[in-house]
Amino acid sequence: MRDPIGMKIATITPEKTIPQMDNNDLVIKQKARILVIDDEPIVRITIEGLLQFENVELLFAEDGINGLRLANQFIPDAILLDLMMPDMNGYEVCKNIRANSALAEVPLIMITAADSREARLEGLSAGADDFLTKPFDSLELRIKVMNILRLNRF
C-alpha cells in the first residue's frame, strides 16, 4: 500500500498488535506486594485471579480506610485503587497516600467505571500514575502491573 506521495505504508494486522502473554512471560524476580483497594468483591476476586504470579503477594481492602491501614502496615510495591467507594473515595485515598512520605512514591493505578476526561484529570491531580476503565481488559491490567513492578526494581 502506498500513500499519496508514493511512500510505502506498513499495514499492521490486529493479531500482530496485541501481545500474547502467558505466565512464563510474567515472572517477577523479586518479591512484590500489590495492594488492591476495591469495594466490589467480584473485582477483587477477578484481580486476584489475574495477578497470581510467582513472587507476588496480593493484599486486599474493601474500602479506603482499610486500604490506607494496609498500605501503612505493609508498604506495597504497587496499588490498584477503585475510584468510586463509599465513605472515602479513590481521590481521597490517593491524596492520603501521596501525603504520606512512606507511601508517596508507591505507583498507583486507579481503576474506575468513570470514563470521563474530568475523572482522569482529577485522579491524575490527586496523584494517580495511570488509569484503567471498568470493565478493564485483563491483558492490559497484567501488562500495566508488570511494567510498574519492572520499572520500580532499580
Side-chain angles (χ1 to χ4, degrees), residues 90-102:
Y91 299 131
E92 295 171 281
V93 175
C94 189
K95 288 176 186 176
N96 276 279
I97 288 169
R98 293 302 181 229
N100 180 329
S101 61

Side-chain angles (χ1 to χ4, degrees), residues 84-149:
M84 293 183 271
M85 295 184 292
D87 300 324
M88 182 181 281
N89 66 38
Y91 299 131
E92 295 171 281
V93 175
C94 189
K95 288 176 186 176
N96 276 279
I97 288 169
R98 293 302 181 229
N100 180 329
S101 61
L103 299 171
E105 300 298 319
V106 174
L108 191 146
I109 298 174
M110 200 164 276
I111 301 176
T112 177
D115 192 22
S116 70
R117 179 177 184 264
E118 293 78 20
R120 288 190 308 274
L121 291 176
E122 187 171 351
L124 291 169
S125 295
D129 297 299
D130 205 349
F131 273 85
L132 275 174
T133 304
K134 290 180 186 177
F136 51 82
D137 178 90
S138 59
L139 183 57
E140 182 180 7
L141 171 72
R142 292 167 64 129
I143 290 171
K144 284 184 180 205
V145 169
M146 294 303 296
N147 286 345
I148 280 177
L149 294 175

Side-chain angles (χ1 to χ4, degrees), residues 54-75:
E54 186 176 333
N55 284 332
V56 171
E57 177 185 2
L58 295 169
L59 303 171
F60 296 92
E62 67 283 349
D63 59 45
I65 294 167
N66 284 314
L68 289 171
R69 182 184 54 76
L70 285 174
N72 280 299
Q73 183 178 353
F74 293 103
I75 313 295

